[in-house]
Amino acid sequence: LLGLKVKVLVKVKNNGDEDVYGVYADDDSKTIATGTVGQLENVSSDSMKTKLNGTEYKLDKANNKLKVIYANKGVSTDTVATIEQATAIDQVAGTVKLVDTDGNNKVDTVVVTPAKVGKITYAGSKKVTISNGVGSNDVEDIDIYNGFAKDDWTVVTDKTYTASDDISVAKIDVVTSKVTSVKSSTPKEVKINDSWYKVATGSVADDTASVKSGSTYDFAIVGNYVVNAKETEAASTDVLVVTDFEKTSNGM
């Protein structure tokens, strides 16, 4: 219900205490769309619209005027236009919710829940360690998926942004595929299984920054962004066959 207008069902007792029996979204308040921050794009011809996962939505204010709410932290100085430009690995993995609170089918509230990408570097029965500053945590103190294992790539939501007040860890599925084409744009784009994906900036792990056409990789993908790529088979252009050689005074 974050970002929505709500009705609260309350009973006031004789001693003045109040019991809350329910919290419900107002009839005119609804979530229009959800996705990842990386899927949010500007509509270049119209500042009164935004695009999420390929679909355009009308805004109540211009994208550079509509402020963003961060979960559990309130209204920020960031605008929709700000997060439309996000490309960094720890920005694109967050979730975004587009909300209409007055029933006019235009977005008037945007809620973002930040998240970061991390790799499990140690997985024990009682502790798990995740890279990118997440560190070591007791398994019983975090919300983590069943079957977590070393080398898994994850999306981590800090307890600042969760209702449970616990760190939340979700697994990123890995896709193995050959890159059939590359666009040298900013950010770089790669074609995987007939679909185009952007490569998150700031990625330093494995072979993410040097993805090239013709090679095969294990891709960790969040929304429409590659957040990690590990080469499993090199392109044929990377293979050198030596058929003969001569020895000289300087070596081969």
PDB file of all heavy atoms in Angstrom, residues 36-39 82-94 115-117 132 186-187 198-204 222 224-227:
ATOM      1  N   THR A  36      11.173  -2.831 -12.598  1.00  0.00           N
ATOM      2  CA  THR A  36      12.457  -2.442 -12.030  1.00  0.00           C
ATOM      3  C   THR A  36      12.810  -1.035 -12.492  1.00  0.00           C
ATOM      4  O   THR A  36      12.325  -0.567 -13.524  1.00  0.00           O
ATOM      5  CB  THR A  36      13.574  -3.410 -12.469  1.00  0.00           C
ATOM      6  OG1 THR A  36      13.702  -3.364 -13.897  1.00  0.00           O
ATOM      7  CG2 THR A  36      13.267  -4.828 -12.024  1.00  0.00           C
ATOM      8  N   VAL A  37      13.655  -0.369 -11.733  1.00  0.00           N
ATOM      9  CA  VAL A  37      14.069   0.985 -12.084  1.00  0.00           C
ATOM     10  C   VAL A  37      14.714   1.001 -13.469  1.00  0.00           C
ATOM     11  O   VAL A  37      14.524   1.931 -14.258  1.00  0.00           O
ATOM     12  CB  VAL A  37      15.035   1.555 -11.021  1.00  0.00           C
ATOM     13  CG1 VAL A  37      15.628   2.881 -11.479  1.00  0.00           C
ATOM     14  CG2 VAL A  37      14.304   1.732  -9.689  1.00  0.00           C
ATOM     15  N   GLY A  38      15.462  -0.047 -13.794  1.00  0.00           N
ATOM     16  CA  GLY A  38      16.118  -0.114 -15.083  1.00  0.00           C
ATOM     17  C   GLY A  38      15.156  -0.169 -16.262  1.00  0.00           C
ATOM     18  O   GLY A  38      15.526   0.172 -17.389  1.00  0.00           O
ATOM     19  N   GLN A  39      13.908  -0.588 -16.024  1.00  0.00           N
ATOM     20  CA  GLN A  39      12.920  -0.672 -17.094  1.00  0.00           C
ATOM     21  C   GLN A  39      12.228   0.663 -17.353  1.00  0.00           C
ATOM     22  O   GLN A  39      11.435   0.779 -18.294  1.00  0.00           O
ATOM     23  CB  GLN A  39      11.868  -1.741 -16.754  1.00  0.00           C
ATOM     24  CG  GLN A  39      12.418  -3.156 -16.755  1.00  0.00           C
ATOM     25  CD  GLN A  39      11.408  -4.165 -16.255  1.00  0.00           C
ATOM     26  OE1 GLN A  39      10.685  -3.918 -15.294  1.00  0.00           O
ATOM     27  NE2 GLN A  39      11.348  -5.323 -16.904  1.00  0.00           N
ATOM     28  N   THR A  82      14.983  11.908 -13.092  1.00  0.00           N
ATOM     29  CA  THR A  82      16.261  11.475 -12.505  1.00  0.00           C
ATOM     30  C   THR A  82      16.428   9.968 -12.621  1.00  0.00           C
ATOM     31  O   THR A  82      17.464   9.475 -13.080  1.00  0.00           O
ATOM     32  CB  THR A  82      16.339  11.885 -11.029  1.00  0.00           C
ATOM     33  OG1 THR A  82      16.161  13.293 -10.906  1.00  0.00           O
ATOM     34  CG2 THR A  82      17.690  11.508 -10.436  1.00  0.00           C
ATOM     35  N   ILE A  83      15.407   9.226 -12.199  1.00  0.00           N
ATOM     36  CA  ILE A  83      15.556   7.771 -12.173  1.00  0.00           C
ATOM     37  C   ILE A  83      15.381   7.159 -13.561  1.00  0.00           C
ATOM     38  O   ILE A  83      15.800   6.018 -13.783  1.00  0.00           O
ATOM     39  CB  ILE A  83      14.606   7.111 -11.148  1.00  0.00           C
ATOM     40  CG1 ILE A  83      13.144   7.387 -11.474  1.00  0.00           C
ATOM     41  CG2 ILE A  83      14.930   7.588  -9.736  1.00  0.00           C
ATOM     42  CD1 ILE A  83      12.180   6.626 -10.578  1.00  0.00           C
ATOM     43  N   GLU A  84      14.780   7.912 -14.488  1.00  0.00           N
ATOM     44  CA  GLU A  84      14.713   7.423 -15.871  1.00  0.00           C
ATOM     45  C   GLU A  84      16.112   7.302 -16.478  1.00  0.00           C
ATOM     46  O   GLU A  84      16.321   6.527 -17.404  1.00  0.00           O
ATOM     47  CB  GLU A  84      13.877   8.376 -16.726  1.00  0.00           C
ATOM     48  CG  GLU A  84      12.379   8.260 -16.511  1.00  0.00           C
ATOM     49  CD  GLU A  84      11.614   9.329 -17.279  1.00  0.00           C
ATOM     50  OE1 GLU A  84      12.232  10.338 -17.695  1.00  0.00           O
ATOM     51  OE2 GLU A  84      10.386   9.148 -17.463  1.00  0.00           O
ATOM     52  N   GLN A  85      17.061   8.067 -15.942  1.00  0.00           N
ATOM     53  CA  GLN A  85      18.423   8.076 -16.472  1.00  0.00           C
ATOM     54  C   GLN A  85      19.343   7.089 -15.760  1.00  0.00           C
ATOM     55  O   GLN A  85      20.534   6.986 -16.088  1.00  0.00           O
ATOM     56  CB  GLN A  85      19.024   9.490 -16.348  1.00  0.00           C
ATOM     57  CG  GLN A  85      18.211  10.577 -17.043  1.00  0.00           C
ATOM     58  CD  GLN A  85      18.000  10.314 -18.519  1.00  0.00           C
ATOM     59  OE1 GLN A  85      18.935   9.925 -19.227  1.00  0.00           O
ATOM     60  NE2 GLN A  85      16.784  10.503 -19.002  1.00  0.00           N
ATOM     61  N   ALA A  86      18.838   6.359 -14.785  1.00  0.00           N
ATOM     62  CA  ALA A  86      19.673   5.448 -13.992  1.00  0.00           C
ATOM     63  C   ALA A  86      20.224   4.317 -14.849  1.00  0.00           C
ATOM     64  O   ALA A  86      19.489   3.687 -15.620  1.00  0.00           O
ATOM     65  CB  ALA A  86      18.869   4.879 -12.831  1.00  0.00           C
ATOM     66  N   THR A  87      21.531   4.053 -14.708  1.00  0.00           N
ATOM     67  CA  THR A  87      22.166   2.929 -15.416  1.00  0.00           C
ATOM     68  C   THR A  87      23.078   2.111 -14.501  1.00  0.00           C
ATOM     69  O   THR A  87      23.516   1.033 -14.890  1.00  0.00           O
ATOM     70  CB  THR A  87      23.016   3.436 -16.605  1.00  0.00           C
ATOM     71  OG1 THR A  87      24.056   4.279 -16.110  1.00  0.00           O
ATOM     72  CG2 THR A  87      22.160   4.205 -17.603  1.00  0.00           C
ATOM     73  N   ALA A  88      23.365   2.622 -13.301  1.00  0.00           N
ATOM     74  CA  ALA A  88      24.306   1.961 -12.399  1.00  0.00           C
ATOM     75  C   ALA A  88      23.711   0.674 -11.839  1.00  0.00           C
ATOM     76  O   ALA A  88      22.501   0.570 -11.612  1.00  0.00           O
ATOM     77  CB  ALA A  88      24.693   2.896 -11.258  1.00  0.00           C
ATOM     78  N   ILE A  89      24.586  -0.292 -11.600  1.00  0.00           N
ATOM     79  CA  ILE A  89      24.145  -1.620 -11.176  1.00  0.00           C
ATOM     80  C   ILE A  89      23.288  -1.584  -9.917  1.00  0.00           C
ATOM     81  O   ILE A  89      22.333  -2.351  -9.786  1.00  0.00           O
ATOM     82  CB  ILE A  89      25.373  -2.550 -10.999  1.00  0.00           C
ATOM     83  CG1 ILE A  89      24.933  -3.993 -10.725  1.00  0.00           C
ATOM     84  CG2 ILE A  89      26.313  -2.032  -9.915  1.00  0.00           C
ATOM     85  CD1 ILE A  89      26.066  -4.988 -10.791  1.00  0.00           C
ATOM     86  N   ASP A  90      23.600  -0.687  -8.975  1.00  0.00           N
ATOM     87  CA  ASP A  90      22.836  -0.635  -7.732  1.00  0.00           C
ATOM     88  C   ASP A  90      21.632   0.292  -7.816  1.00  0.00           C
ATOM     89  O   ASP A  90      20.928   0.498  -6.827  1.00  0.00           O
ATOM     90  CB  ASP A  90      23.739  -0.216  -6.571  1.00  0.00           C
ATOM     91  CG  ASP A  90      24.703  -1.326  -6.175  1.00  0.00           C
ATOM     92  OD1 ASP A  90      24.433  -2.491  -6.515  1.00  0.00           O
ATOM     93  OD2 ASP A  90      25.726  -1.030  -5.540  1.00  0.00           O
ATOM     94  N   GLN A  91      21.376   0.863  -8.991  1.00  0.00           N
ATOM     95  CA  GLN A  91      20.160   1.646  -9.202  1.00  0.00           C
ATOM     96  C   GLN A  91      19.120   0.832  -9.973  1.00  0.00           C
ATOM     97  O   GLN A  91      17.945   0.793  -9.600  1.00  0.00           O
ATOM     98  CB  GLN A  91      20.481   2.923  -9.980  1.00  0.00           C
ATOM     99  CG  GLN A  91      21.349   3.915  -9.223  1.00  0.00           C
ATOM    100  CD  GLN A  91      21.703   5.116 -10.094  1.00  0.00           C
ATOM    101  OE1 GLN A  91      22.249   4.964 -11.178  1.00  0.00           O
ATOM    102  NE2 GLN A  91      21.374   6.302  -9.622  1.00  0.00           N
ATOM    103  N   VAL A  92      19.567   0.175 -11.028  1.00  0.00           N
ATOM    104  CA  VAL A  92      18.622  -0.490 -11.935  1.00  0.00           C
ATOM    105  C   VAL A  92      17.946  -1.699 -11.308  1.00  0.00           C
ATOM    106  O   VAL A  92      16.884  -2.140 -11.770  1.00  0.00           O
ATOM    107  CB  VAL A  92      19.315  -0.898 -13.243  1.00  0.00           C
ATOM    108  CG1 VAL A  92      19.876   0.321 -13.949  1.00  0.00           C
ATOM    109  CG2 VAL A  92      20.432  -1.925 -13.010  1.00  0.00           C
ATOM    110  N   ALA A  93      18.527  -2.244 -10.227  1.00  0.00           N
ATOM    111  CA  ALA A  93      17.965  -3.452  -9.603  1.00  0.00           C
ATOM    112  C   ALA A  93      16.809  -3.137  -8.659  1.00  0.00           C
ATOM    113  O   ALA A  93      16.086  -4.042  -8.239  1.00  0.00           O
ATOM    114  CB  ALA A  93      19.052  -4.205  -8.846  1.00  0.00           C
ATOM    115  N   GLY A  94      16.621  -1.873  -8.308  1.00  0.00           N
ATOM    116  CA  GLY A  94      15.523  -1.494  -7.425  1.00  0.00           C
ATOM    117  C   GLY A  94      14.177  -1.672  -8.116  1.00  0.00           C
ATOM    118  O   GLY A  94      14.084  -1.820  -9.329  1.00  0.00           O
ATOM    119  N   ALA A 115      17.624  -1.343  -4.192  1.00  0.00           N
ATOM    120  CA  ALA A 115      18.234  -2.657  -3.973  1.00  0.00           C
ATOM    121  C   ALA A 115      19.621  -2.653  -4.594  1.00  0.00           C
ATOM    122  O   ALA A 115      19.943  -1.806  -5.425  1.00  0.00           O
ATOM    123  CB  ALA A 115      17.375  -3.764  -4.583  1.00  0.00           C
ATOM    124  N   LYS A 116      20.447  -3.582  -4.180  1.00  0.00           N
ATOM    125  CA  LYS A 116      21.781  -3.722  -4.765  1.00  0.00           C
ATOM    126  C   LYS A 116      22.002  -5.169  -5.199  1.00  0.00           C
ATOM    127  O   LYS A 116      21.311  -6.089  -4.730  1.00  0.00           O
ATOM    128  CB  LYS A 116      22.865  -3.273  -3.791  1.00  0.00           C
ATOM    129  CG  LYS A 116      22.920  -4.046  -2.476  1.00  0.00           C
ATOM    130  CD  LYS A 116      24.160  -3.687  -1.672  1.00  0.00           C
ATOM    131  CE  LYS A 116      24.268  -2.236  -1.342  1.00  0.00           C
ATOM    132  NZ  LYS A 116      25.467  -1.927  -0.506  1.00  0.00           N
ATOM    133  N   VAL A 117      22.946  -5.342  -6.093  1.00  0.00           N
ATOM    134  CA  VAL A 117      23.271  -6.670  -6.613  1.00  0.00           C
ATOM    135  C   VAL A 117      24.518  -7.189  -5.906  1.00  0.00           C
ATOM    136  O   VAL A 117      25.510  -6.470  -5.762  1.00  0.00           O
ATOM    137  CB  VAL A 117      23.518  -6.615  -8.128  1.00  0.00           C
ATOM    138  CG1 VAL A 117      24.023  -7.957  -8.646  1.00  0.00           C
ATOM    139  CG2 VAL A 117      22.238  -6.209  -8.852  1.00  0.00           C
ATOM    140  N   ASN A 132      29.573  -6.807  -2.413  1.00  0.00           N
ATOM    141  CA  ASN A 132      29.039  -5.469  -2.647  1.00  0.00           C
ATOM    142  C   ASN A 132      28.593  -4.793  -1.353  1.00  0.00           C
ATOM    143  O   ASN A 132      27.591  -4.073  -1.314  1.00  0.00           O
ATOM    144  CB  ASN A 132      27.885  -5.497  -3.652  1.00  0.00           C
ATOM    145  CG  ASN A 132      27.604  -4.122  -4.252  1.00  0.00           C
ATOM    146  OD1 ASN A 132      28.386  -3.177  -4.107  1.00  0.00           O
ATOM    147  ND2 ASN A 132      26.475  -3.998  -4.925  1.00  0.00           N
ATOM    148  N   THR A 186      25.584   4.119 -24.840  1.00  0.00           N
ATOM    149  CA  THR A 186      25.794   4.309 -23.403  1.00  0.00           C
ATOM    150  C   THR A 186      24.443   4.249 -22.706  1.00  0.00           C
ATOM    151  O   THR A 186      23.619   5.140 -22.893  1.00  0.00           O
ATOM    152  CB  THR A 186      26.450   5.671 -23.115  1.00  0.00           C
ATOM    153  OG1 THR A 186      27.682   5.751 -23.838  1.00  0.00           O
ATOM    154  CG2 THR A 186      26.734   5.820 -21.638  1.00  0.00           C
ATOM    155  N   PRO A 187      24.149   3.192 -21.936  1.00  0.00           N
ATOM    156  CA  PRO A 187      25.038   2.047 -21.707  1.00  0.00           C
ATOM    157  C   PRO A 187      25.077   1.104 -22.917  1.00  0.00           C
ATOM    158  O   PRO A 187      24.228   1.181 -23.793  1.00  0.00           O
ATOM    159  CB  PRO A 187      24.383   1.364 -20.505  1.00  0.00           C
ATOM    160  CG  PRO A 187      22.920   1.666 -20.667  1.00  0.00           C
ATOM    161  CD  PRO A 187      22.864   3.061 -21.216  1.00  0.00           C
ATOM    162  N   LYS A 198      20.377  -4.017 -21.791  1.00  0.00           N
ATOM    163  CA  LYS A 198      21.411  -3.042 -21.482  1.00  0.00           C
ATOM    164  C   LYS A 198      22.378  -3.644 -20.472  1.00  0.00           C
ATOM    165  O   LYS A 198      21.992  -4.512 -19.677  1.00  0.00           O
ATOM    166  CB  LYS A 198      20.771  -1.772 -20.916  1.00  0.00           C
ATOM    167  CG  LYS A 198      19.827  -1.085 -21.890  1.00  0.00           C
ATOM    168  CD  LYS A 198      19.138   0.108 -21.240  1.00  0.00           C
ATOM    169  CE  LYS A 198      18.172   0.767 -22.214  1.00  0.00           C
ATOM    170  NZ  LYS A 198      17.445   1.901 -21.602  1.00  0.00           N
ATOM    171  N   VAL A 199      23.617  -3.182 -20.503  1.00  0.00           N
ATOM    172  CA  VAL A 199      24.630  -3.659 -19.553  1.00  0.00           C
ATOM    173  C   VAL A 199      24.796  -2.596 -18.473  1.00  0.00           C
ATOM    174  O   VAL A 199      25.110  -1.433 -18.768  1.00  0.00           O
ATOM    175  CB  VAL A 199      25.975  -3.924 -20.251  1.00  0.00           C
ATOM    176  CG1 VAL A 199      27.016  -4.379 -19.233  1.00  0.00           C
ATOM    177  CG2 VAL A 199      25.808  -4.976 -21.347  1.00  0.00           C
ATOM    178  N   ALA A 200      24.570  -2.974 -17.226  1.00  0.00           N
ATOM    179  CA  ALA A 200      24.645  -2.022 -16.123  1.00  0.00           C
ATOM    180  C   ALA A 200      26.042  -1.430 -16.013  1.00  0.00           C
ATOM    181  O   ALA A 200      27.041  -2.145 -16.145  1.00  0.00           O
ATOM    182  CB  ALA A 200      24.248  -2.706 -14.810  1.00  0.00           C
ATOM    183  N   THR A 201      26.111  -0.143 -15.779  1.00  0.00           N
ATOM    184  CA  THR A 201      27.405   0.508 -15.594  1.00  0.00           C
ATOM    185  C   THR A 201      27.890   0.277 -14.164  1.00  0.00           C
ATOM    186  O   THR A 201      27.102   0.034 -13.259  1.00  0.00           O
ATOM    187  CB  THR A 201      27.302   2.010 -15.875  1.00  0.00           C
ATOM    188  OG1 THR A 201      26.312   2.586 -15.004  1.00  0.00           O
ATOM    189  CG2 THR A 201      26.905   2.269 -17.311  1.00  0.00           C
ATOM    190  N   GLY A 202      29.192   0.347 -13.990  1.00  0.00           N
ATOM    191  CA  GLY A 202      29.758   0.109 -12.664  1.00  0.00           C
ATOM    192  C   GLY A 202      29.955  -1.362 -12.363  1.00  0.00           C
ATOM    193  O   GLY A 202      30.365  -1.731 -11.263  1.00  0.00           O
ATOM    194  N   SER A 203      29.665  -2.229 -13.325  1.00  0.00           N
ATOM    195  CA  SER A 203      29.857  -3.668 -13.126  1.00  0.00           C
ATOM    196  C   SER A 203      31.324  -4.020 -13.341  1.00  0.00           C
ATOM    197  O   SER A 203      31.883  -3.747 -14.395  1.00  0.00           O
ATOM    198  CB  SER A 203      28.993  -4.453 -14.110  1.00  0.00           C
ATOM    199  OG  SER A 203      27.638  -4.090 -13.997  1.00  0.00           O
ATOM    200  N   VAL A 204      31.943  -4.617 -12.353  1.00  0.00           N
ATOM    201  CA  VAL A 204      33.367  -4.954 -12.456  1.00  0.00           C
ATOM    202  C   VAL A 204      33.623  -6.452 -12.319  1.00  0.00           C
ATOM    203  O   VAL A 204      34.737  -6.916 -12.539  1.00  0.00           O
ATOM    204  CB  VAL A 204      34.191  -4.203 -11.376  1.00  0.00           C
ATOM    205  CG1 VAL A 204      34.158  -2.717 -11.645  1.00  0.00           C
ATOM    206  CG2 VAL A 204      33.661  -4.498  -9.977  1.00  0.00           C
ATOM    207  N   VAL A 222      18.561  -8.635 -14.464  1.00  0.00           N
ATOM    208  CA  VAL A 222      17.502  -8.075 -13.628  1.00  0.00           C
ATOM    209  C   VAL A 222      16.687  -7.130 -14.503  1.00  0.00           C
ATOM    210  O   VAL A 222      17.207  -6.120 -14.978  1.00  0.00           O
ATOM    211  CB  VAL A 222      18.067  -7.308 -12.419  1.00  0.00           C
ATOM    212  CG1 VAL A 222      16.930  -6.706 -11.599  1.00  0.00           C
ATOM    213  CG2 VAL A 222      18.912  -8.224 -11.550  1.00  0.00           C
ATOM    214  N   ASN A 224      15.586  -5.505 -17.508  1.00  0.00           N
ATOM    215  CA  ASN A 224      16.158  -5.430 -18.852  1.00  0.00           C
ATOM    216  C   ASN A 224      17.647  -5.119 -18.811  1.00  0.00           C
ATOM    217  O   ASN A 224      18.217  -4.650 -19.798  1.00  0.00           O
ATOM    218  CB  ASN A 224      15.425  -4.366 -19.683  1.00  0.00           C
ATOM    219  CG  ASN A 224      15.574  -2.973 -19.094  1.00  0.00           C
ATOM    220  OD1 ASN A 224      15.760  -2.824 -17.887  1.00  0.00           O
ATOM    221  ND2 ASN A 224      15.483  -1.952 -19.924  1.00  0.00           N
ATOM    222  N   TYR A 225      18.291  -5.376 -17.661  1.00  0.00           N
ATOM    223  CA  TYR A 225      19.716  -5.074 -17.497  1.00  0.00           C
ATOM    224  C   TYR A 225      20.532  -6.326 -17.179  1.00  0.00           C
ATOM    225  O   TYR A 225      20.144  -7.141 -16.336  1.00  0.00           O
ATOM    226  CB  TYR A 225      19.931  -4.069 -16.369  1.00  0.00           C
ATOM    227  CG  TYR A 225      19.995  -2.633 -16.852  1.00  0.00           C
ATOM    228  CD1 TYR A 225      18.838  -1.884 -17.008  1.00  0.00           C
ATOM    229  CD2 TYR A 225      21.210  -2.017 -17.158  1.00  0.00           C
ATOM    230  CE1 TYR A 225      18.885  -0.568 -17.451  1.00  0.00           C
ATOM    231  CE2 TYR A 225      21.271  -0.709 -17.595  1.00  0.00           C
ATOM    232  CZ  TYR A 225      20.111   0.016 -17.732  1.00  0.00           C
ATOM    233  OH  TYR A 225      20.172   1.313 -18.180  1.00  0.00           O
ATOM    234  N   VAL A 226      21.674  -6.458 -17.858  1.00  0.00           N
ATOM    235  CA  VAL A 226      22.674  -7.462 -17.499  1.00  0.00           C
ATOM    236  C   VAL A 226      23.487  -6.898 -16.345  1.00  0.00           C
ATOM    237  O   VAL A 226      24.110  -5.842 -16.476  1.00  0.00           O
ATOM    238  CB  VAL A 226      23.605  -7.767 -18.692  1.00  0.00           C
ATOM    239  CG1 VAL A 226      24.771  -8.647 -18.244  1.00  0.00           C
ATOM    240  CG2 VAL A 226      22.828  -8.436 -19.821  1.00  0.00           C
ATOM    241  N   VAL A 227      23.471  -7.587 -15.206  1.00  0.00           N
ATOM    242  CA  VAL A 227      24.220  -7.112 -14.044  1.00  0.00           C
ATOM    243  C   VAL A 227      25.497  -7.919 -13.825  1.00  0.00           C
ATOM    244  O   VAL A 227      26.365  -7.520 -13.053  1.00  0.00           O
ATOM    245  CB  VAL A 227      23.352  -7.127 -12.771  1.00  0.00           C
ATOM    246  CG1 VAL A 227      22.206  -6.128 -12.883  1.00  0.00           C
ATOM    247  CG2 VAL A 227      22.805  -8.522 -12.474  1.00  0.00           C
TER     248      VAL A 227
END
